[in-house]
Amino acid sequence: MAILDDISEQLQKGKKKKVVEFCQQALDEGIPAGEILNNGLLAGMDIVGAKFKANEIFVPQVLVAARAMNAGAELLKPHLQAGEAINAGKICMGTVKGDLHDIGKNLVIMMFEGKGFEVIDLGVDVAPETFIQTAIDENCDIIACSALLTTTMPIMADVVKGAEEAGIRDKVKIMIGGAPVTQDFCDQIGADAFTQDATSAAEKALELVGA
Ligand code: B12
């Protein structure tokens, strides 16, 4: 669809205003929000990722594209949540210490909320102790960690260890994810679940809390 290509193209150029405008236009045309997200915004971000990897573009361009992505996703947010009013449980989520990538985290949070979870967004660069203390103070059912750098993945193991040491491991489930994370890594560090994308993350979370 032409409008979705336009969204992808404007996102790659980092044109935040245009991205938001075209997302609104796509919604007005009756295109489902999930389709706009996947075939417009995320399709654009995939191309940005490939160009970044190939050294065709650099951090500043990726950053403006990321801002446009987040602005578009914010607009779609209420339309992605199909008005499910159940209270499925409480989750604290953040991107682990040393890691500033937050696009995936923000998408996963949107999907969690869409499934009726209350989510505490801890932001980026989150220390293991912060995940643990929040889970204790807020009585969370799930701790969710995101990492996009291979160098920050080990922090997820520290979160699992920290939960054991704090004596809350039997009360809280730990979910992990992010582009470099795998099911093998999840098994290796003893986390409860890994999924590859935001939609399956929310479904898995429901499963974990037995909803
Ligand atoms: C955007 C981006 C940036 C932006 C981040 C902006 C922002 N606000 O997030 C900026 C420009 C700041 C950036 C900086 C850097 N980046 Co960067 N970045 C990317 C890029 C292009 C896209 C990431 C992204 O947002 N993808 C889209 C989202 C939707 O996908 P996602 O995060 O994977 O999330 C999905 C799933 O993984 C899953 N998920 C995510 N989290 C969770 C959590 C749970 C619990 C679950 C269940 C699921 C789940 O659901 C999400 C939705 O489906 C990737 C390339 C790539 N292809 O991944 C590189 C990439 C991650 N960056 C990379 C690098 C090297 C860096 C820098 C070190 C560059 C530098 N020289 O400074 C810095 C690091 C800064 C830091 N300390 O974090 C490398 C990492 C390499 C590695 N092996 O570790 C990559 C892979 C690029 C590359 N090929 O070289 N980056």
Side-chain angles (χ1 to χ4, degrees):
M1 245 172 286
I3 185 80
L4 300 184
D5 293 339
D6 289 342
I7 292 170
S8 162
E9 205 171 299
Q10 295 302 323
L11 182 140
Q12 292 167 53
K13 291 184 189 157
K15 303 278 184 205
K16 182 169 137 185
K17 262 193 180 164
K18 280 275 172 211
V19 166
V20 171
E21 191 185 311
F22 285 146
C23 283
Q24 184 59 55
Q25 196 181 318
L27 284 172
D28 294 343
E29 286 177 17
I31 302 172
E35 203 176 319
I36 303 171
L37 177 68
N38 287 317
N39 300 334
L41 296 176
L42 284 173
M45 208 61 215
D46 275 350
I47 298 172
V48 169
K51 286 188 176 165
F52 185 44
K53 193 172 178 182
N55 286 324
E56 287 171 30
I57 58 170
F58 302 96
V59 170
Q61 287 109 309
V62 181
L63 207 49
V64 286
R67 284 199 191 124
M69 162 88 207
N70 277 332
E74 242 345 274
L75 178 83
L76 298 179
K77 189 172 171 179
H79 303 273
L80 289 165
Q81 298 168 7
E84 293 171 68
I86 50 159
N87 184 0
K90 213 184 226 189
I91 301 178
C92 59
M93 176 158 201
T95 302
V96 298
K97 196 173 173 180
D99 200 325
L100 304 176
H101 295 86
D102 68 355
I103 298 173
K105 168 188 74 67
N106 294 343
L107 282 177
V108 174
I109 288 178
M110 269 185 211
M111 294 302 174
F112 280 156
E113 289 175 342
K115 289 284 180 197
F117 284 98
E118 184 186 337
V119 185
I120 300 164
D121 183 355
L122 298 172
V124 296
D125 196 19
V126 181
E129 310 83 64
T130 308
F131 284 104
I132 307 302
Q133 201 53 51
T134 307
I136 294 170
D137 294 346
E138 300 285 339
N139 213 7
C140 293
D141 303 285
I142 297 175
I143 292 174
C145 307
S146 182
L148 264 288
L149 299 172
T150 43
T151 48
T152 58
M153 282 168 62
I155 303 289
M156 293 169 157
D158 296 340
V159 173
V160 176
K161 259 190 244 146
E164 277 161 14
E165 283 163 15
I168 59 164
R169 190 65 189 95
D170 56 338
K171 294 193 200 84
V172 70
K173 301 287 184 193
I174 300 175
M175 294 184 72
I176 61 168
V181 180
T182 61
Q183 185 60 50
D184 273 356
F185 180 73
C186 178
D187 297 341
Q188 195 187 313
I189 67 168
D192 295 294
F194 154 78
T195 73
Q196 208 133 32
D197 59 60
T199 309
S200 52
E203 281 156 11
K204 193 72 189 177
L206 279 180
E207 220 179 89
L208 288 177
V209 297

